[in-house]
Structure formats: structure tokens, C-alpha cells
Amino acid sequence: MGRVTRRQRWGAGVVVGLAVVVAGLLWFKPWALWVDETVNEALPSANPNPNANATSPAPTKGAPPSASASQAPSGPVTVAQGSFISHEHATTGVVKVVRLADGTHTLRLEGLDTSNGPDLRVWLSDAPVKEGKAGWGVFDEGKYVNLAKLKGNKGDQNYALPAGLDWSAYPSVSIWCDRFDVSFGAAALARI
């Protein structure tokens, strides 16, 4: 077999170098920082009574009103809220926990504005929200719930909270970059 020439070694080095660059670009996805995804979802509503449109008999004169009708809210109610602070990337907006008329809860992001990035998630966490670099990586150190992939880096969006989840045990919300284990921004939830 012949000797490997300098040109062949240089060519092999270029091929390996290009492969590393392409793999790095696919991993980091730097173009995501310049591409915005805007989502504008309406606040979800839930009908507590699927037969609400059905005709029901008129109440008897003098009969007390239904106890369940006076206890159930007729629409969504905000039960906790907070404002985002910036961590790795400038992040603004409001996060709310909303109780729907059927008793389920939804996490709602309103006016969200952050950078786009690879593998962004919406997390509930038991970690405290801290300003500056001290708060960038704390959300995966304790208990957390990965609600879903972030639908868009701008706008209003809803994330249903799992049935049976005690959301009050997770007083923080983070826009979490799972690829690099860093918070883009976070908000502390305060009960209303």
C-alpha cells in the first residue's frame, strides 16, 4: 500500500473538521436565537356541566338555590401569579396559575418575550427564583415538573397542569433550556 501524502492528510483533516462544525451547529442551533416563534392562545375555558345547554326544569317557587351553583366560579380565576426576571437571556412577561370552571388548573404565560433556543421547556420548580447568574442553574437541583416544550418564545400560551399535581409545592416557573441546563428566565408564583 502506498504512502499517505500530505494532500490526503490535509483533505481528511478538512472532512473531519467540517463534520465537527456541522455537528456543533446542529447541537447548538445558533440560528434559533434570530428566529422568533409567536403563539397567541386564548385563555382556555371549561364547561363544568356538559349538559348546560340542555333544558332543565324551572326551580320551584321558594326553593333554595343550588349549593353547587353558588360555589363554582362561572369562569377562569387567577389563583397565583408572578413576573419573569431575566437569567441567561432577557425574559419578560407574566405567568399565572388559572383555575378553570371545571376545577382543573392551567399555567398561562402572558406577554412572554424571551430568546428562542434549542430544547426550551416550561418547568415548575421548588427552587427559589434568584437574580443574576446565581439563579441560572438552580431549577434542576431539587424537585421540578417538566410541563412541556415551550410553544413559542413570544406571546400568550397555556399549559395544562397534570391532574393531581399540587402546583403550590412548586412556587417557581422557569423557561428552561434542557440542552444546556440553564434558565432563560424565571418567575416566582405568589398566591392571589
Side-chain angles (χ1 to χ4, degrees), residues 5 8 35 51 56 63 74 82 97 105 142 176 184:
T5 67
Q8 289 171 325
V35 177
N51 298 321
S56 58
S74 61
V97 175
H105 290 86
W176 184 258
F184 274 32

Side-chain angles (χ1 to χ4, degrees), residues 68-120:
S68 63
S70 63
Q71 292 174 353
S74 61
V77 176
T78 300
V79 294
Q81 158 172 329
S83 294
F84 280 105
I85 64 166
S86 299
H87 281 147
E88 173 70 19
H89 293 270
T91 303
T92 58
V94 173
V95 60
K96 297 178 178 180
V97 175
V98 179
R99 184 179 61 238
L100 303 177
D102 66 358
T104 62
H105 290 86
T106 293
L107 186 82
R108 178 158 173 83
L109 307 180
E110 291 183 347
L112 177 67
D113 189 352
T114 191
S115 297
N116 205 342
D119 206 14
L120 293 181

Side-chain angles (χ1 to χ4, degrees), residues 99-179:
R99 184 179 61 238
L100 303 177
D102 66 358
T104 62
H105 290 86
T106 293
L107 186 82
R108 178 158 173 83
L109 307 180
E110 291 183 347
L112 177 67
D113 189 352
T114 191
S115 297
N116 205 342
D119 206 14
L120 293 181
R121 303 291 173 150
V122 179
W123 277 18
L124 289 175
S125 173
D126 66 349
V129 175
K130 298 177 184 177
E131 298 271 348
K133 287 189 177 186
W136 289 16
V138 299
F139 297 102
D140 62 348
E141 293 175 359
K143 295 187 309 181
Y144 62 89
V145 176
N146 181 348
L147 290 179
K149 182 176 176 4
L150 185 69
K151 296 174 185 178
N153 64 305
K154 294 184 181 293
D156 304 333
Q157 46 207 273
N158 306 303
Y159 299 88
L161 296 180
L165 173 71
D166 178 11
W167 59 266
S168 65
Y170 303 93
S172 302
V173 176
S174 173
I175 304 302
W176 184 258
C177 180
D178 214 21
R179 174 82 39 92

Side-chain angles (χ1 to χ4, degrees), residues 55-61 63:
T55 307
S56 58
T60 310
K61 187 176 182 181

